[in-house]
Amino acid sequence: MSYVPGQPVTAVVQRIEIHKLRQGDNLILGFSIGGGIDQDPTQNPFSEDKTDKGIYVTRVTEGGPAEVAGLQIGDKIMQVNGWDMTMVTHDQARKRLTKRNEEVVRLLVTRQSLQKAVQQSMMS
Amino acid sequence: MPAELKQEQSPSNQTSIAMMQEPQEMVEETVTVEEDPGTPTSHVSIVTSEDGTTRRTETKVTKMVKTVTTRTVRQVPLGPDGLPSMDGSSPMGSYTDSIDRRYMKNGERYITPQASSTLTRSYNNYNDSYPESHEGQYRPYIGHDGYGDLSDNYGSLSRGVNYRPRYAYVPGNSYRPDDGSFTLPSRRDNYGPVAQPQVPVGSNVDLNRSQPERFQPEPYGLEDDNRSLGVDDEGYELDPDYSTVNRRTSAGVPERGRPHKGRGYDDPIETEMVEERIPYLHGGYAAPLAQPERGSMASIDRLGKRSPSIDSIRKDPRWRDPDLPEVIAMLSHPIDPVKSNAAAYLQHLCYENDKIKKDVRHLKGIPILVGLLDHPKPEVHRKACGALRNISYGKDNENKVAIKNCDGIPALIRLLRKTNDMEVRELITGTLWNLSSYEPLKMVIINHGLQTLTNEVIIPHSGWESEPNEDSKPRDAEWTTVFKNTSGCLRNVSSDGAEARRRLRECDGLVDALLHALQSAVGKKDTDNKSVENCVCIMRNLSYHVHKEVPGADKYQELDASQTTSMGGSQKKKKDDAGCFGGKKAKEEWFNQGKKNGDLDRNFDTLDLPKRSEAAKGFELLYQPDVVRLYLSILTESQNFNTLEAAAGALQNLSAGNWMWSTYIRATVRKERGLPVLVELLQSDSDKVVRAVSIALRNLSMDRRNKDLIGSYAMGELVRNLPSRQQRSAKNLEEDTVVAVLNTIHEIITDSSENARSLIQTQGIQKLVAISKSSQSPRETKAASHVLQMIWSYKELRNALQKDGWNKSHFQSVSATPKGSKGIAGRSGYDDSTLPLVDKSQDNEKAGSRDMIPMDELGPDGYSTIDHRDKERKYKTSDNTGDASEKEPLKG
């Protein structure tokens, strides 16, 4: 998942569809994010490449909509409902996820294990 | 010798026998395999060897696809018949016609060039190079590396998987390689060069075919299986992939007898198979790990396509079972069936074998298994989960920690959510049950899995519906294994302290579902199963300290003062005072003793719960009076000691405390005729039941009326539970139980001289004095002394006592008891729930009358619940029993 500026980024992704849960007046997703181009990437415990300023999932609440949908802690979010998340600020990312009029968010996420699984299956 | 050899061989097919001897020579030959792209045609030809021998050879058609690399033949152990154990020589193939056979497949087959080829081969081995031969050698293994000529390397060949010592497969039938003589072929093989790998595939028994070699060029020469040629395992050229697979030990082709018996696997995919199959290399036939587990082979045998039958494993010494590092390496193999079989084998190996579990951990197998839980294929994650379950079981908690450290718990929960397969769910929940028995992991499990377990398992299987549909009748609980495992896991985690209890109480739907499940169990009269036991234990744990821990507890707290004054006031009341003072519930026969216990009691009787605007849900259900009925039904019906203990414990917990609910509960127990139920359980044979029940009675007697009733009807049973030397029928109870009973007696006679009198009447003094004087346990002694002192404090009874022959010294037996014990008791009272509230009167801290039961004095473990230690102890045992048992890997 290393990023070379100007070059297309390729990754093995998984589609995850999260149906937000309504709690009173709020729609909750059930996870937290970290990262962003305005953040310090070296603090990211989940990224392989410590210069990666992408958006990572830092916490998934148990039993929440995100967990049910299959999101895991440490996943990197590549897209949300079609909007890119690899080159956004933290706040922009948050906003794209928490739009009040959207009940469902469709994410593309990638993680280390996916990459490895594909490599392994290609080897065989 | 080669010459000789030749000779032997020359006679054409019949030479086989002669050839037999040769094999020995074959050692140490290095043959370079030539790549023979193919001697395309097969034809019978006569070859004249260098040395002039004439041979008739069948041509071999070889299309060798692969080149065999050089191999060094190692000493080929000769098999019994003197044939080199390696078998290799398939090529020897048939001398006979089988020409066609040779062709077989393009090259795949190793067609032994028939005699000639084989011969040549052998010759090669012997360093003769016959022109034609070599190629013949089919290198059958196409491309195998290193399958050199058979001959030489038998050893290596074997390894190469390629060589399959023909014998290997001899399935016995068929495939007689070629020449009619059957033996020949084998011999030839022995000699080596033959192409080994014969994969016996299919060779079907066509004798004529003689081509033993047909061999499918599997990449690894399928033969691997057979290969176990002889002994030298060395090397194994192992194919890159299967390191283990290829190991072939040239175990001296034991099978020598059967010439090629080639395995009759017709399966062309043998090579692949090989991979999958956990290679059983028989290095020396003694697979260190596998020996006893032939049975386990079955699981492994479930290879994708073809698996060595157990028979072949047993009889085929060439295969050796993989050792532990190999198995763990196979877990990362790209081919999925290999992974799943490796996991299954691992599960099998770990079954009840703590050493292997530890080794797996040291070899870092656990993170791999946890990773496999996320694998999409059911076979893989199912087997991985089974292996983890076995690993997590046992006294060694390091394995459990290792599982947790590589995020095993969230992975298990994730899989539980994803899968619908009941068996996988059983394995997952069983593993979680095992993990939950280790204290440090309990909170982790709660954090990751509580709500999921509740939503995925407890609620569905309990039959509880959060939005009850009015039309449908309430569903019954399903006592599935998954439910049992999950309830066991929650039982363990619920013992982890206040925070754990809070989380469980607040978990959405958990308490409701558990109560619903218990109600349905009572309704179906099925209260002895393990799931019910687990549920009741959870309820007991959650009821612990409920008066302190639930939100909003404060407002329910009874004022001590008022309570105590009322209690104080009732101190002197005799229960048999006139009339049905508590007339409202006059219908209770036994219980209604017209007491005049004071207004408070009456108030308690008629105490109304605060009006509820909506039904209670969640943790509030824990202390609604309805649960009393439930627990009493369980106490009445169940025969399971753990369940009985837990239900009594729950009542004990609920009736502790100074808050409104516990007051109400104490009264409700009485009203629901619970007291006789409890008293009857005092006759139980089980220590823990007696203990729990007596502490429950002790707490219940905080209610005045209860005290009176209990005093009159339970005193006999309580005294009967005390040990006595004379009474042979006295139960032999543990110290803790005796102390509990003594404390209960103490509590009952406190504030009620009537009860003290009935104690005297039941011959209790004798036992008490005996205990206080001669018991081995200091706690028992102390408790008995307290009781005795209390009795003595009733001056009006002293006459009766003295008439019976007792005097003061009996009652003040323990020297320095009052002060000393007070001190000790004061301190230890906090620790030991069974210690009586010592000397309340002497205790300066408590203001107020002796009647007040200083709940706080006792500390957390005071009356209210089972000692934390006890609880832990209890849970520990139940933890262990609760560990889901290991299972053999599923077979088939």
Side-chain angles (χ1 to χ4, degrees), chain B residues 804-821:
Chain B
D804 283 347
W806 305 106
N807 61 42
K808 182 166 182 169
S809 65
H810 292 114
F811 294 86
Q812 308 276 353
S813 50
V814 184
S815 56
T817 305
K819 294 291 179 282
S821 60

Side-chain angles (χ1 to χ4, degrees), chain B residues 164-339:
Chain B
R164 190 192 357 149
R166 246 32 87 98
Y167 314 120
Y169 298 105
V170 209
N173 42 352
S174 48
Y175 199 131
R176 261 8 250 355
D178 26 48
D179 41 319
S181 39
F182 312 111
T183 40
L184 257 190
S186 35
R187 292 277 155 102
R188 273 191 284 199
D189 297 354
N190 298 335
Y191 291 117
V194 290
Q196 335 326 356
Q198 336 241 264
V199 191
V201 290
S203 9
N204 334 319
V205 258
D206 179 353
L207 289 184
N208 297 340
R209 289 231 264 131
S210 76
Q211 223 48 344
E213 297 67 54
R214 174 162 338 191
F215 90 103
Q216 333 267 18
E218 297 69 342
Y220 296 95
L222 290 187
E223 311 286 359
D224 292 353
D225 301 333
N226 303 330
R227 286 178 264 145
S228 34
L229 281 189
V231 298
D232 37 311
D233 304 350
E234 345 157 275
Y236 301 104
E237 286 129 344
L238 303 188
D239 291 39
D241 316 38
Y242 330 105
S243 34
T244 49
V245 170
N246 299 333
R247 231 146 335 157
R248 263 197 294 154
T249 53
S250 27
V253 202
E255 310 353 285
R256 215 28 81 123
R258 5 191 206 156
H260 321 281
K261 306 234 212 110
R263 234 194 264 196
Y265 298 106
D266 290 324
D267 196 335
I269 320 269
E270 282 202 88
T271 24
E272 228 168 307
M273 294 286 124
V274 173
E275 294 185 24
E276 299 177 17
R277 177 190 335 213
I278 305 248
Y280 300 103
L281 297 177
H282 299 266
Y285 313 109
L289 294 178
Q291 280 336 321
E293 277 108 5
R294 281 319 164 129
S296 68
M297 299 315 186
S299 54
I300 304 183
D301 284 350
R302 254 175 309 143
L303 279 184
K305 308 167 193 173
R306 150 186 68 98
S307 48
S309 64
I310 297 196
D311 284 354
S312 79
I313 301 300
R314 285 206 202 99
K315 296 188 202 133
D316 188 339
R318 283 170 293 184
W319 290 107
R320 133 178 112 66
D321 293 305
D323 60 22
L324 198 57
E326 292 167 352
V327 179
I328 293 184
M330 282 189 252
L331 288 174
S332 314
H333 197 276
I335 294 187
D336 292 338
V338 177
K339 287 188 173 100

Side-chain angles (χ1 to χ4, degrees), chain B residues 281-476:
Chain B
L281 297 177
H282 299 266
Y285 313 109
L289 294 178
Q291 280 336 321
E293 277 108 5
R294 281 319 164 129
S296 68
M297 299 315 186
S299 54
I300 304 183
D301 284 350
R302 254 175 309 143
L303 279 184
K305 308 167 193 173
R306 150 186 68 98
S307 48
S309 64
I310 297 196
D311 284 354
S312 79
I313 301 300
R314 285 206 202 99
K315 296 188 202 133
D316 188 339
R318 283 170 293 184
W319 290 107
R320 133 178 112 66
D321 293 305
D323 60 22
L324 198 57
E326 292 167 352
V327 179
I328 293 184
M330 282 189 252
L331 288 174
S332 314
H333 197 276
I335 294 187
D336 292 338
V338 177
K339 287 188 173 100
S340 70
N341 285 315
Y345 188 40
L346 208 53
Q347 174 178 357
H348 172 84
L349 290 175
C350 289
Y351 181 73
E352 288 185 346
N353 186 333
D354 282 343
K355 177 171 180 322
I356 290 197
K357 291 178 196 171
K358 188 158 63 126
D359 293 341
V360 171
R361 182 177 84 239
H362 289 316
L363 293 169
K364 314 265 186 277
I366 295 185
I368 308 180
L369 286 169
V370 170
L372 289 182
L373 291 175
D374 283 318
H375 198 279
K377 282 223 180 118
E379 306 83 51
V380 178
H381 61 235
R382 184 187 311 140
K383 303 286 167 32
C385 203
L388 280 174
R389 181 186 186 173
N390 280 6
I391 290 177
S392 64
Y393 177 85
K395 292 203 186 42
D396 182 5
N397 290 319
E398 289 293 317
N399 296 329
K400 301 181 174 89
V401 173
I403 295 178
K404 166 230 168 206
N405 284 343
C406 50
D407 290 334
I409 296 176
L412 287 164
I413 298 288
R414 227 177 4 250
L415 183 59
L416 178 65
R417 200 200 294 287
K418 273 190 276 192
T419 183
N420 289 330
D421 182 333
M422 196 49 89
E423 183 196 328
V424 178
R425 290 166 80 100
E426 284 177 13
L427 292 171
I428 294 172
T429 50
T431 312
L432 285 170
W433 195 358
N434 288 350
L435 293 174
S436 65
S437 66
Y438 186 48
E439 175 107 28
L441 303 186
K442 291 181 183 177
M443 212 57 206
V444 183
I445 293 179
I446 291 180
N447 287 335
H448 287 287
L450 177 60
Q451 192 67 55
T452 308
L453 287 170
T454 304
N455 292 346
E456 293 276 330
V457 179
I458 300 285
I459 292 181
H461 291 267
S462 70
W464 177 72
E465 263 136 44
S466 53
E467 320 284 330
N469 184 350
E470 289 305 323
D471 296 339
S472 64
K473 70 181 182 83
R475 286 173 41 215
D476 271 342

Side-chain angles (χ1 to χ4, degrees), chain B residues 491-785:
Chain B
R491 171 184 176 174
N492 287 351
V493 303
S494 63
S495 68
D496 195 27
E499 176 62 19
R501 287 194 291 272
R502 184 187 69 80
R503 296 284 299 270
L504 263 78
R505 285 187 196 119
E506 290 173 3
C507 176
D508 237 356
L510 178 61
V511 178
D512 312 71
L514 290 173
L515 281 174
H516 183 98
L518 288 174
Q519 303 276 10
S520 99
V522 169
K524 287 192 289 191
K525 307 254 184 251
D526 178 17
T527 48
D528 286 340
N529 64 57
K530 186 79 177 167
S531 303
V532 169
E533 177 188 325
N534 290 342
C535 291
V536 185
C537 286
I538 300 176
M539 298 301 293
R540 175 203 37 204
N541 291 353
L542 295 185
S543 310
Y544 181 82
H545 274 182
V546 70
H547 55 98
K548 284 196 207 154
E549 291 176 2
V550 301
D554 313 332
K555 58 182 183 314
Y556 294 125
Q557 288 296 338
E558 296 285 319
L559 298 172
D560 268 351
S562 62
Q563 188 173 30
T564 52
T565 44
S566 61
M567 300 275 268
S570 64
Q571 178 184 359
K572 313 296 185 310
K573 311 257 187 330
K574 300 284 197 226
K575 65 174 187 283
D576 45 16
D577 258 14
C580 304
F581 210 81
K584 295 259 165 83
K585 311 290 184 201
K587 298 176 190 66
E588 316 155 36
E589 310 103 29
W590 218 74
F591 300 129
N592 199 0
Q593 304 277 340
K595 57 170 208 170
K596 204 181 43 145
N597 283 343
D599 294 354
L600 254 170
D601 280 345
R602 183 151 52 112
N603 289 348
F604 291 164
D605 261 9
T606 58
L607 183 69
D608 287 321
L609 289 172
K611 291 282 177 284
R612 308 198 62 95
S613 52
E614 53 188 30
K617 45 183 201 251
F619 61 80
E620 294 171 349
L621 290 171
L622 284 172
Y623 44 82
Q624 301 304 313
D626 308 319
V627 301
V628 172
R629 220 169 291 137
L630 175 65
Y631 292 136
L632 291 176
S633 312
I634 293 175
L635 285 169
T636 314
E637 283 179 25
S638 179
Q639 305 297 321
N640 176 337
F641 290 148
N642 292 325
T643 307
L644 290 172
E645 182 199 12
L651 284 176
Q652 170 189 339
N653 289 352
L654 288 174
S655 46
N658 274 339
W659 71 331
M660 182 187 87
W661 292 104
S662 44
T663 314
Y664 202 73
I665 297 240
R666 291 191 279 263
T668 311
V669 170
R670 180 180 68 243
K671 292 176 201 168
E672 298 282 340
R673 317 270 202 281
L675 295 176
V677 176
L678 289 170
V679 171
E680 183 156 341
L681 282 173
L682 282 173
Q683 298 168 13
S684 167
D685 290 329
S686 158
D687 256 54
K688 47 185 163 186
V689 175
V690 172
R691 190 179 336 154
V693 170
S694 44
I695 307 187
L697 286 172
R698 180 184 177 189
N699 287 357
L700 286 167
S701 55
M702 283 160 64
D703 174 305
R704 184 71 223 185
R705 276 168 77 178
N706 288 353
K707 182 182 289 194
D708 298 334
L709 293 166
I710 294 173
S712 56
Y713 291 93
M715 191 60 80
E717 277 306 326
L718 288 168
V719 170
R720 234 170 308 212
N721 270 314
L722 291 174
S724 143
R725 248 164 285 119
Q726 292 92 342
Q727 249 181 293
R728 261 176 298 115
S729 61
K731 288 196 278 194
N732 188 11
L733 294 176
E734 286 174 16
E735 170 193 338
D736 282 344
T737 314
V738 174
V739 174
V741 172
L742 286 169
N743 291 337
T744 307
I745 295 176
H746 184 276
E747 178 57 29
I748 299 174
I749 63 175
T750 303
D751 245 358
S752 166
S753 67
E754 188 57 36
N755 290 347
R757 193 186 300 273
S758 49
L759 173 59
I760 300 174
Q761 286 163 357
T762 57
Q763 324 300 328
I765 307 290
Q766 192 169 359
K767 286 192 177 180
L768 288 168
V769 172
I771 296 175
S772 71
K773 289 220 174 359
S774 53
S775 163
Q776 300 301 324
S777 148
R779 287 171 59 210
E780 283 183 23
T781 314
K782 200 180 317 191
S785 326

